[in-house]
Amino acid sequence: ARRRAPSLSKEETQLLQQINQGVPAEVRKRYWLLDEKLHDGTITNEEHQELSAIINRIELADAERIMNLIKLAQLRNTTVDSLMEQLGIRKPNYA
């Protein structure tokens, strides 16, 4: 008997790409630097505004990722928790 490799639909492929995209590494690095300055009390007003903008960007990306996880779970007729387990995605510490 021949075995077929599982294949993904175009929609599943696009959702997986979007789920795995995330925020660029340089943005996350800048976030950690500014967050450290915030906790040290050495952040300037301009840096604080930049930090707020980065936080908004990260939160938006996280919300889009969750929406894409929900869509993919619905396509696969499973729960988001089960899908995350299948994909090896861990819940954030704050969840």
Side-chain angles (χ1 to χ4, degrees):
R2 286 188 231 185
R3 293 185 183 210
R4 290 184 55 199
S7 61
L8 301 175
S9 70
K10 184 178 179 179
E11 188 175 6
E12 285 178 301
T13 301
Q14 289 173 338
L15 287 169
L16 283 168
Q17 288 172 341
Q18 291 169 356
I19 289 166
N20 291 322
Q21 189 172 8
V23 176
E26 61 272 5
V27 173
R28 292 219 180 253
K29 285 180 187 177
R30 185 68 178 158
Y31 166 81
W32 289 115
L33 175 76
L34 294 173
D35 186 60
E36 187 175 315
K37 291 180 105 178
L38 176 68
H39 290 290
D40 289 347
T42 59
I43 195 166
T44 66
N45 286 336
E46 293 81 17
E47 290 171 330
H48 197 272
Q49 289 176 347
E50 181 184 1
L51 178 59
S52 292
I54 291 171
I55 289 169
N56 288 338
R57 182 175 177 184
I58 292 170
E59 287 178 348
L60 180 61
D62 287 346
E64 289 174 1
R65 185 177 196 214
I66 291 168
M67 289 177 60
N68 288 322
L69 283 166
I70 291 168
K71 289 177 187 176
L72 186 57
Q74 289 172 338
L75 278 176
R76 293 185 174 185
N77 198 27
T78 189
T79 66
V80 173
D81 286 339
S82 294
L83 177 66
M84 289 175 66
E85 186 175 318
Q86 292 168 15
L87 298 176
I89 297 173
R90 290 179 273 143
K91 292 181 183 181
N93 292 334
Y94 56 83

